[in-house]
Amino acid sequence: MIKAKARAKGAGFARINDKCHTRVLGMWRRFRLPRQKGTQMSTKMGAMRTIVSAMGLTALTITPLAQAEDQDVILVLDGSGSMWGQIDGEAKITIARNVVGQIIDDLPDGQRLGLVAYGHNREGDCGDIEQVVEIGTDRDAVRTAVNGINPKGKTPLSASVQFAAEQLAYTEKKATVVLVSDGRETCDLDPCAIGNALEQAGIDFTAHVIGFDVVEQADQEQLQCLADNTGGS
């Protein structure tokens, strides 16, 4: 299925730090949109990218989760050791917890959500991928689990997105995954190729990406490609 792309390739990186991530969340609420095809969505998302870039903010995107109201969603959280890195004196995992918590608060009533994490149990293990919270409507369970993630290991982000898609039965029904990560795949898979494979095999699969402190151009392009290939943002 060919879906309208919400973002132009390589556009619109923003920065989330301890001074402005609350403003980013405010803009997320303001710009969250129902899923739609064509020019209208591209124009609105382009306006959002312009505002965020002008603020000098570091996330790949502010994810419009509200557009997934009619389907199950799994949040994939980066628990790799690099999430202890800091942005303006605050650990990336702390910023991620705050952002995810606000997104959970803003979910539509009745939205079913699950949580997958990676790199949080063992060092050096590309198989460290776990469904921490089963899909359901218990938001407090997701919030508690997110706040309890203790970054340790590697970054198998591609395999984690694929795992989440499988939990959502993406070949049988609509499915949305939201990846929160600081970027680089460290387990020898290609996020771009995984996105393409999931798009081709899925009924209507979408991956959105929130990237923290993604500095290297190659890492930016990989995450962007994962979103682009699945019609995400």
Side-chain angles (χ1 to χ4, degrees), residues 184-203:
R184 178 170 297 178
E185 166 72 57
T186 62
C187 289
D188 299 325
L189 288 179
D190 179 359
C192 193
I194 290 295
N196 186 59
L198 292 172
E199 172 74 3
Q200 295 301 315
I203 295 295

Side-chain angles (χ1 to χ4, degrees), residues 6 31 33-34 36 39-49:
F31 284 95
L33 302 169
Q36 52 189 298
T39 304
Q40 184 180 2
M41 184 171 189
S42 296
T43 300
K44 290 182 179 180
M45 292 301 290
M48 181 179 73
R49 292 196 300 269

Side-chain angles (χ1 to χ4, degrees), residues 68-146:
E69 188 171 359
D70 62 341
Q71 60 198 270
D72 292 346
V73 175
I74 286 183
L75 176 69
V76 177
L77 181 61
D78 188 340
S80 65
S82 60
M83 288 293 281
W84 284 121
Q86 295 191 346
I87 299 174
D88 291 350
E90 185 170 11
K92 287 181 277 186
I93 187 62
T94 302
I95 300 172
R97 288 168 182 158
N98 291 337
V99 171
V100 168
Q102 188 61 68
I103 289 174
I104 291 171
D105 287 342
D106 286 348
L107 287 173
D109 292 340
Q111 174 70 62
R112 285 165 48 84
L113 179 70
L115 176 67
V116 166
Y118 61 81
H120 60 299
N121 290 315
R122 298 175 296 278
E123 295 182 4
D125 183 0
C126 286
D128 185 9
I129 301 168
E130 177 186 9
Q131 180 146 10
V132 181
V133 179
E134 298 292 328
I135 298 168
T137 57
D138 188 347
R139 299 182 189 186
D140 287 340
V142 176
R143 192 189 318 277
T144 298
V146 167

Side-chain angles (χ1 to χ4, degrees), residues 203-224:
I203 295 295
D204 190 353
F205 177 78
T206 305
H208 297 296
V209 180
I210 300 175
F212 286 83
D213 200 29
V214 184
V215 178
E216 297 297 327
Q217 182 68 28
D219 299 338
Q220 295 176 4
E221 290 175 354
Q222 279 192 332
L223 292 181
Q224 186 68 63

